[in-house]
Amino acid sequence: MSTINPGPQGFEAAIKPATAESVAEFDHRKSPLERLQHLLHEIPWLAPLLVLIASLIGFGIAVGARFFSAYALTLILQQVMITGIVGIAQSLVILTAGIDLSVGAIMVLSSVLMGQCAFVYGLPAPVAILCGFAFGAGVGVINGVLVAKVKLPPFIVTLGTWQIVLAANYLYSNNQTIGAQQIENHAPLLQFLGNTFEIGGSNGATFTYGAILMLALVLLFAYVLRHTAWGRHVYAVGDDPAAAALAGVRVNAMLISVYTLSGLICAVAGWALIGRIGAISPNSGQFENINSITAVVIGGISLFGGRGSIIGMIFGAMIVGVFTLGLNMYGTDPQWTYLLIGALIIVAVAVDQWIRKAAV
């Protein structure tokens, strides 16, 4: 019994099979601008790095070769040391779609507490430093509980604790400064992070131990956020806390841990602040909340949470340092620094909004 293999019907014969080339014609071909948008979305620190390089080149041309001296470039690291450390704390909070306005006040009162413990209560310098660390972490716990458990907005919570800690700072210290000579004679460990060492002689690079600590913390938290479960949970909570909870993330515990760690890092910055200025003053560093937010925003970390990197934040802090040093060496009015940084903040937020569309 033979089978008949009928050929294609007339209308079937008229249809030509699609080739790979014709199928490819329907693929969406991205424009160079769209490819750049996706690249910046995948690598959040790339945009601030490009701005930093452009700033260095621009001020190098305007100021001259002395701007590229080893001393001048390492001076930038010293100037952004405090902002960089506090910026790490601020970055962790903002990555969870929060904000911490109390970081500067925690830093200052932690440094004041270290001084009081060493000079008023007679505690050894290491113990005094640990007391400051414990205080910073304790304020962080309070912030975290109010945000995670009581469900208050982070802006309102940290605005309140900023005012409370700032007032407590003045009341506790009686607005009195502990001088650099007194610290050097009786508790030099408090000034340790301000000590310097040189590479390349007197005209070479000059580093402080505080700047080295800042870079070490940046690398540590860059690794933690990228390669640990805790770090991935930080991004998940910032991106969508409800989805993170459904995926098994303990959102409340995560938020409390982030704010606690933020307070602890601010206390570390308080120790670095003593080394930076040499003395312990209740009037120093109070606006680091603004400076840290500036570094975070310029560094490409989204204020909406869930996107960005610690590496970008330190690039943002260094951009501010480059503008400050460059304009100072050029001899311009210091107000131009604030004007240009303000414009850069607005541009950075606009770019972030544009980059976020790549994920839609």
Side-chain angles (χ1 to χ4, degrees):
M1 180 178 179
S2 62
T3 59
I4 300 176
N5 184 17
Q9 302 295 324
F11 68 90
E12 293 175 324
I15 301 177
K16 296 180 180 179
T19 63
E21 290 78 6
S22 62
V23 172
E25 293 175 358
F26 292 95
D27 290 342
H28 174 65
R29 298 187 180 278
K30 296 177 182 177
S31 67
L33 192 61
E34 288 176 322
R35 287 197 292 270
L36 175 62
Q37 183 184 28
H38 279 269
L39 179 63
L40 295 178
H41 183 270
E42 294 296 324
I43 312 175
W45 51 263
L46 181 59
L49 175 61
L50 294 176
V51 173
L52 176 61
I53 294 172
S55 302
L56 287 169
I57 294 174
F59 282 111
I61 294 173
V63 175
R66 60 196 178 102
F67 184 77
F68 287 116
S69 68
Y71 176 79
L73 293 178
T74 52
L75 180 61
I76 295 172
L77 279 179
Q78 296 179 39
Q79 290 179 336
V80 305
M81 174 179 71
I82 304 301
T83 299
I85 297 175
V86 178
I88 296 170
Q90 190 72 261
S91 297
L92 295 175
V93 174
I94 289 181
L95 283 172
T96 65
I99 196 166
D100 193 344
L101 298 177
S102 66
V103 287
I106 294 173
M107 175 190 71
V108 176
L109 186 48
S110 296
S111 69
V112 168
L113 180 60
M114 292 175 192
Q116 293 292 314
C117 288
F119 292 96
V120 177
Y121 308 136
L123 297 176
V127 177
I129 292 170
L130 291 177
C131 288
F133 289 174
F135 169 77
V139 177
V141 170
I142 294 172
N143 284 338
V145 169
L146 291 174
V147 170
K149 297 290 189 180
V150 187
K151 304 300 181 185
L152 297 178
F155 181 88
I156 300 301
V157 169
T158 57
L159 178 63
T161 51
W162 173 31
Q163 298 295 326
I164 293 170
V165 174
L166 196 59
N169 169 50
Y170 289 117
L171 293 171
Y172 181 60
S173 66
N174 290 320
N175 204 19
Q176 293 181 350
T177 297
I178 300 176
Q181 192 63 47
Q182 187 178 0
I183 298 174
E184 184 177 350
N185 292 336
H186 296 93
L189 183 62
L190 296 180
Q191 296 176 329
F192 171 75
L193 294 180
N195 295 338
T196 61
F197 62 93
E198 296 178 349
I199 298 177
S202 58
N203 295 323
T206 302
F207 295 92
T208 63
Y209 291 108
I212 299 302
L213 174 63
M214 175 195 70
L215 294 175
L217 288 174
V218 166
L219 294 176
L220 171 64
F221 281 98
Y223 176 85
V224 167
L225 287 172
R226 186 174 180 84
H227 297 288
T228 68
W230 185 87
R232 289 189 289 272
H233 290 172
V234 169
Y235 283 102
V237 170
D239 188 49
D240 190 337
L246 290 173
V249 177
R250 299 171 60 196
V251 174
N252 288 346
M254 175 58 57
L255 288 173
I256 293 173
S257 70
V258 165
Y259 280 91
T260 302
L261 192 55
S262 172
L264 176 60
I265 295 170
C266 290
V268 174
W271 182 25
L273 179 65
I274 299 173
R276 177 78 177 116
I277 65 177
I280 298 174
S281 172
N283 300 304
S284 59
Q286 296 171 2
F287 297 102
E288 281 303 321
N289 53 352
I290 304 301
N291 295 339
S292 63
I293 294 172
T294 299
V296 167
V297 171
I298 295 177
I301 296 179
S302 175
L303 288 174
F304 301 97
R307 194 186 71 83
S309 72
I310 297 290
I311 300 295
M313 180 281 301
I314 201 61
F315 288 155
M318 292 180 66
I319 289 169
V320 175
V322 168
F323 271 73
T324 302
L325 180 64
L327 291 172
N328 182 49
M329 294 179 70
Y330 193 69
T332 59
D333 191 309
Q335 298 305 321
W336 279 101
T337 302
Y338 297 106
L339 188 151
L340 293 175
I341 295 301
L344 197 57
I345 290 172
I346 296 173
V347 171
V349 174
V351 170
D352 174 63
Q353 292 280 58
W354 176 67
I355 292 174
R356 284 174 63 86
K357 295 177 182 179
V360 177

